[in-house]
């Protein structure tokens, strides 16, 4: 994943590339190298909207000047919450705080 991801990142001149890997979590490739982020989901009921949640959370965090690594980890937490719900769901900041504090 790193080899092909790095080629894609370089070819597209991206600052970072985040690859979602289903139950294997995510891989972030940026100028610092590769960061594998394990999945945070405790129970998976429905994956509907998980990718959208990742994109939205990552976008909000990076737009708020959060670094790529922290943004990707935050997106991973949010996705882990959403897949634990049935159907198309949202995640709240309260849910994210609770999930992060339970580590």
């Amino acid at each position: 994943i790193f080899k092909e991801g790095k080629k894609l990142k370089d070819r597209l001149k991206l600052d970072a590339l985040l690859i979602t890997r289903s139950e294997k979590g995510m891989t972030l490739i940026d100028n610092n190298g590769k960061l594998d982020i394990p999945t945070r989901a405790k129970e998976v009921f429905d994956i509907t909207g998980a990718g959208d949640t990742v994109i939205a959370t990552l976008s909000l965090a990076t737009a708020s000047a959060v670094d790529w690594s922290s943004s990707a980890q935050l997106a991973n937490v949010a996705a882990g919450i959403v897949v634990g719900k049935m159907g198309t769901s949202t995640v709240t900041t309260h849910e994210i705080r609770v999930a992060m504090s339970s580590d």
Side-chain angles (χ1 to χ4, degrees):
I1 285 182
F2 178 68
K3 181 181 171 186
E4 294 302 316
K6 176 130 177 47
K7 282 198 285 190
L8 181 61
K9 177 190 163 302
D10 293 344
R11 187 174 82 233
L12 297 175
K13 298 179 173 90
L14 303 173
D15 291 334
L17 176 69
L18 182 64
I19 303 166
T20 59
R21 301 173 50 219
S22 192
E23 71 277 354
K24 294 179 181 171
M26 303 176 180
T27 297
L28 175 67
I29 301 169
D30 64 8
N31 295 330
N32 296 318
K34 176 181 86 148
L35 173 64
D36 289 317
I37 306 167
T39 187
R40 301 273 308 227
K42 306 237 185 305
E43 290 185 77
V44 177
F45 291 106
D46 192 338
I47 62 166
T48 303
D52 294 331
T53 299
V54 169
I55 292 167
T57 307
L58 186 76
S59 298
L60 178 63
T62 57
S64 300
V66 176
D67 64 86
W68 285 109
S69 174
S70 298
S71 295
Q73 291 179 56
L74 184 63
N76 192 45
V77 170
I81 294 167
V82 165
V83 299
K85 299 177 179 183
M86 292 298 294
T88 304
S89 303
T90 61
V91 61
T92 66
T93 54
H94 175 73
E95 290 172 312
I96 292 171
R97 285 187 185 113
V98 169
M100 293 180 77
S101 68
S102 67
D103 287 340

